[in-house]
Amino acid sequence: MKKFNTLITNNKISSFERKDGIFEIFYEDENYLLNGESRFFDSTKKIATLINQIIENPTSTLNKIDGEFAFSIFLKKSHKLLLARDHVGFRNLYYFIEDNKIAVSSNVYDLLSKKTVRAFDINGVIDFLFYEYINDPSTLFKNIFTVERGTFIRICTKKSKIIDKVMFRKKLSDIAENKFLSEKEIIKNVYDKIIKAHSKRQSEKNAVLLSGGVDSSIMALALSQDLGDQNLVGLSFDTVNAEQSEIYYAKMVSKKLGIRHEIVQFDPTKSVNLFDIVDNSNVPYIGNIVMSELMTQSTLDNDYNIFAGQDTRILTPAWYKIDCFNMRYMNNNVLNIFIKNFGLAAFTILGYNSKWKQKVASRMHSVNDKREYMLKNLFHYHPFADINDKNNVFISKNVKSKMSQLELNDNLLSMHNEYTDMSIGWQHNDDIAYMSNSIERRGFKSSMPFMDNSLVNFGASISFNIKSKTTKGKSGYGNKSKKVNKYLLREAFKDRLPNELIFRDKAVAIVNHIFLNEVMGDYIRKNFASPALKTCDIYEKLDLKILYEKAMIKNGAWGLKDYHEASELHNLVILDVIARKYNIVN
């Protein structure tokens, strides 16, 4: 994986590092130093011309670029540092400003190693533990920030101060509903834009991370049949002794399309170097372990471009009907307060001993506030975690801070677009980072066509009533008939694959408990009696002693039903590893 770093001390570039890899921009003359990563799909401009246009009119110039980029431009004569990141946030860009030192990097751990004082950021840690992802511009580390997607920052290097910070992209909630296209025309446009997004990313050699779900199946279909890739490879992994597996469906897709299919078996009982894993990606997600193994064991050479089907929810809302009803009609009135109190009283008697009870009870807790409802029920919040906002002031402040960022009204399309905007800068960007970083670290290219800016913006314009439609399908595992979402995707590509594939419900093979029992279990046994986080202030503030004790007591005995708890403890292990590796004691 290519990394770039720029360090400015006392207004001079005192250290510059360049590592070979893909997509690097590097340009220097008497006026400018440009450093970064990019893949432009429509630009034929010379670098010097592009730099001048960005300096003269950054908002307009950057907004017109169709591509994936993250870069810094140092203006030698005016002592300014310009930072910019693409619309969707496919490329990573981090920075910190300390006294007379400014550091910029595509890798957050490179920045951490340059800091004199290293400490965890409590909001980044709360996001990581209890939402599973970190909301931009926060990172796990105090005073290290990410440049938010579609944002341009100008820094005065003489004063070590941010001059301005401008979002050049259009907010999704500001995109008007397209009322001129019929449903049939919308479906045709979805198809065309998906094919175009694949086409402009297509290389001579391509592979698809093939799960057997509808997203990855459509990628394989688009590349092999619509774009004529005769040598496409499907790449899948399977976890040994997992209770759930999608390999059956992945095999069915590859057989139907006639593409070569590689399956990598991952054995979670084998030792994994967790200290190395955290450096594989800017996001220390458990999936890095799988991706590292998949890329290492694959027989593909480094000329391959790996396609990953990251989230399509701008086109396919995953809200339940009760969520749509509540978000549309919820107001802070007497009826909602009555429903909340009555519901909570009922659950005090019934208990919370099943998933559906927990989901309903969580909605009852926040039924009188749209923003709280969205954050606690539509994101990855863990409402029944051992440590949550019921008894922790820091988590409560974290939630309230995020609530203040949301601008919600009574229009479902606008609210869903606002939700998606935050999701992209939160879960989606982290998913992109862990996936692309893990792939590119091993010399491959990576592509995620569903996050194409044109496709995302078009999705934001589609009527909520159309894109939230459900259709008759089947359960993710088995043949049980049920209503399934992703209506537009399924309609755009139906009759091209068997119905049991194209109309199959989303099904993620849950294996996080296995990783916790096996891959991480040995680390817990060896290290959790003396927590590395104990010297950090987050240990007391978040009462992490509870999680450490639970990890030790239940070590090796986690099951399929323990998804949320296992996710929290995965991330606790990763935080402990980072603290030990980078000697974080504050």
Side-chain angles (χ1 to χ4, degrees):
M1 178 180 69
K2 177 198 321 275
K3 294 192 291 185
F4 68 87
N5 303 296
T6 302
L7 182 65
I8 301 174
T9 307
N10 295 322
N11 200 41
K12 293 182 180 179
I13 294 183
S14 58
S15 175
F16 177 74
E17 178 183 357
R18 181 186 181 196
K19 295 187 177 180
D20 290 334
I22 59 172
F23 303 149
E24 184 172 25
I25 296 176
F26 175 75
Y27 173 86
E28 185 172 12
D29 60 22
E30 69 276 9
N31 297 311
Y32 314 122
L33 171 65
L34 173 65
N35 193 17
E37 298 177 286
S38 74
R39 177 162 58 170
F40 297 136
F41 300 122
D42 63 355
S43 177
T44 57
K45 295 186 179 86
K46 292 182 178 179
I47 292 292
T49 303
L50 182 61
I51 291 174
N52 282 312
Q53 290 178 342
I54 291 171
I55 292 168
E56 291 172 9
N57 194 342
T59 300
S60 175
T61 303
L62 292 168
N63 197 44
K64 290 177 182 176
I65 295 176
D66 183 14
E68 303 159 352
F69 58 84
F71 55 76
S72 66
I73 306 173
F74 181 55
L75 282 59
K76 297 178 179 179
K77 294 179 180 179
S78 61
H79 308 293
K80 301 290 191 304
L81 182 66
L82 313 181
L83 309 178
R85 190 175 178 209
D86 65 67
H87 296 79
V88 176
F90 190 87
R91 295 285 154 194
N92 303 136
L93 190 59
Y94 303 92
Y95 68 96
F96 73 72
I97 302 174
E98 275 185 358
D99 301 324
N100 63 351
K101 184 196 300 183
I102 302 170
V104 181
S105 181
S106 60
N107 184 274
V108 73
Y109 298 105
D110 282 2
L111 284 192
L112 182 64
S113 66
K114 290 181 175 73
K115 285 181 67 70
T116 305
V117 178
R118 302 170 190 175
F120 283 113
D121 177 78
I122 192 165
N123 285 308
V125 171
I126 288 171
D127 284 356
F128 189 51
L129 285 176
F130 308 118
Y131 284 98
E132 300 180 34
Y133 305 93
I134 305 167
N135 190 18
D136 293 346
S138 294
T139 68
L140 282 177
F141 311 110
K142 191 175 290 184
N143 296 327
I144 296 181
F145 304 98
T146 182
V147 176
E148 295 163 278
R149 71 186 187 90
T151 298
F152 170 82
I153 297 176
R154 194 186 337 249
I155 300 171
C156 176
T157 59
K158 273 189 173 181
K159 297 181 180 179
S160 295
K161 183 179 180 181
I162 292 177
I163 301 170
D164 57 7
K165 180 178 177 181
V166 180
M167 186 173 72
F168 59 80
R169 67 176 177 86
K170 182 181 287 188
K171 284 192 66 176
L172 296 183
S173 56
D174 291 338
I175 295 177
E177 180 181 337
N178 189 323
K179 298 182 178 180
F180 304 102
L181 296 177
S182 67
E183 183 174 319
K184 185 176 180 180
E185 290 171 322
I186 287 172
I187 292 169
K188 178 65 167 58
N189 270 269
V190 167
Y191 172 84
D192 289 342
K193 288 183 180 297
I194 287 175
I195 296 302
K196 185 176 180 180
H198 283 71
S199 176
K200 64 189 179 184
R201 289 168 173 80
Q202 189 178 20
S203 299
E204 289 187 11
K205 293 183 177 182
N206 302 285
V208 171
L209 295 180
L210 191 59
S211 69
V214 65
D215 294 353
S216 66
S217 298
I218 284 174
M219 284 197 306
L221 188 60
L223 288 165
S224 65
Q225 293 193 359
D226 296 273
L227 297 174
D229 188 337
Q230 300 299 311
N231 299 303
L232 183 69
V233 178
L235 194 57
S236 305
F237 79 90
D238 200 21
T239 304
V240 175
N241 296 327
E243 295 97 329
Q244 296 177 333
S245 172
E246 293 189 89
I247 288 298
Y248 169 81
Y249 301 98
K251 286 180 177 178
M252 190 185 300
V253 174
S254 61
K255 184 176 181 180
K256 176 67 178 178
L257 297 178
I259 64 175
R260 180 178 140 210
H261 191 201
E262 281 194 20
I263 301 173
V264 171
Q265 291 285 335
F266 179 77
D267 186 351
T269 64
K270 291 184 177 178
S271 178
V272 171
N273 186 339
L274 294 175
F275 292 94
D276 180 61
I277 288 295
V278 299
D279 281 339
N280 284 0
S281 171
N282 287 307
V283 179
Y285 182 57
I286 188 67
N288 292 332
I289 296 175
V290 173
M291 286 305 302
S292 297
E293 193 72 15
L294 186 61
M295 293 298 103
T296 300
Q297 289 193 37
S298 166
T299 66
L300 304 182
D301 60 59
N302 287 147
D303 291 332
Y304 271 88
N305 178 12
I306 312 294
F307 279 76
Q310 294 303 75
D311 212 295
T312 61
R313 80 183 63 184
I314 186 63
L315 297 167
T316 58
W319 293 3
Y320 295 115
K321 290 189 181 298
I322 188 174
D323 295 324
C324 295
F325 178 87
N326 287 339
M327 292 300 294
R328 175 173 279 164
Y329 298 110
M330 188 187 305
N331 293 297
N332 191 2
N333 54 31
V334 175
L335 177 61
N336 283 332
I337 292 172
F338 171 78
I339 292 172
K340 175 179 178 178
N341 291 331
F342 177 81
L344 295 180
F347 278 101
T348 300
I349 299 171
L350 294 173
Y352 304 99
N353 57 347
S354 70
K355 285 186 177 180
W356 77 266
K357 286 181 182 178
Q358 290 181 4
K359 284 181 179 179
V360 175
S362 175
R363 283 155 173 75
M364 291 292 185
H365 273 287
S366 48
V367 74
N368 62 316
D369 191 304
K370 288 181 180 179
R371 292 168 178 81
E372 181 181 357
Y373 187 96
M374 180 178 285
L375 283 167
K376 292 187 176 180
N377 298 294
L378 305 180
F379 289 95
H380 275 235
Y381 182 71
H382 299 173
F384 291 88
D386 290 280
I387 309 166
N388 56 38
D389 63 335
K390 293 180 190 176
N391 56 20
N392 190 287
V393 65
F394 297 100
I395 300 178
S396 180
K397 286 180 179 178
N398 176 281
V399 172
K400 287 178 181 177
S401 174
K402 288 183 175 60
M403 287 170 62
S404 69
Q405 298 173 36
L406 293 168
E407 299 176 12
L408 303 180
N409 51 36
D410 294 329
N411 181 281
L412 275 180
L413 177 62
S414 175
M415 285 191 287
H416 182 261
N417 287 344
E418 182 79 1
Y419 157 80
T420 305
D421 239 340
M422 185 175 273
S423 292
I424 292 175
W426 195 348
Q427 178 184 345
H428 297 355
N429 276 183
D430 284 6
D431 277 343
I432 289 170
Y434 102 77
M435 186 76 74
S436 63
N437 292 177
S438 297
I439 291 170
E440 292 176 14
R441 181 180 173 85
R442 281 155 181 81
F444 299 95
K445 298 176 186 177
S446 66
S447 293
M448 297 175 197
F450 290 126
M451 298 306 294
D452 183 79
N453 188 50
S454 176
L455 181 59
V456 169
N457 285 342
F458 179 70
S461 75
I462 301 173
S463 161
F464 187 85
N465 289 336
I466 292 177
K467 64 184 178 182
S468 64
K469 273 188 172 183
T470 57
T471 187
K472 186 178 179 182
K474 54 166 284 186
S475 59
Y477 295 107
N479 293 304
K480 184 178 178 181
S481 179
K482 66 173 295 188
K483 291 285 187 180
V484 294
N485 65 349
K486 302 199 176 188
Y487 170 78
L488 289 174
L489 285 183
R490 301 180 200 276
E491 286 296 308
F493 288 87
K494 70 179 182 180
D495 301 325
R496 310 275 302 283
L497 284 170
N499 284 349
E500 62 180 313
L501 291 171
I502 209 73
F503 289 105
R504 178 179 172 235
D505 194 19
K506 179 180 177 69
V508 177
I510 297 175
V511 295
N512 60 347
H513 58 291
I514 299 176
F515 285 95
L516 189 58
N517 288 334
E518 302 291 350
V519 172
M520 295 179 163
D522 188 51
Y523 181 91
I524 290 171
R525 283 188 292 275
K526 291 178 179 177
N527 297 293
F528 268 31
S530 300
L533 299 179
K534 197 168 184 178
T535 60
C536 304
D537 61 359
I538 59 169
Y539 185 81
E540 295 294 337
K541 288 179 178 178
L542 298 179
D543 202 8
L544 296 182
K545 180 181 178 181
I546 294 174
L547 292 186
Y548 272 102
E549 289 177 346
K550 171 171 275 193
M552 289 187 290
I553 291 170
K554 201 171 177 179
N555 195 19
W558 298 97
L560 189 64
K561 69 181 185 305
D562 300 318
Y563 174 79
H564 286 312
E565 290 177 298
S567 297
E568 288 161 18
L569 294 184
H570 281 170
N571 294 342
L572 181 69
V573 171
I574 294 296
L575 288 174
D576 194 276
V577 168
I578 292 170
R580 292 179 196 275
K581 179 165 186 173
Y582 291 97
N583 193 29
I584 300 177
V585 295
N586 295 299

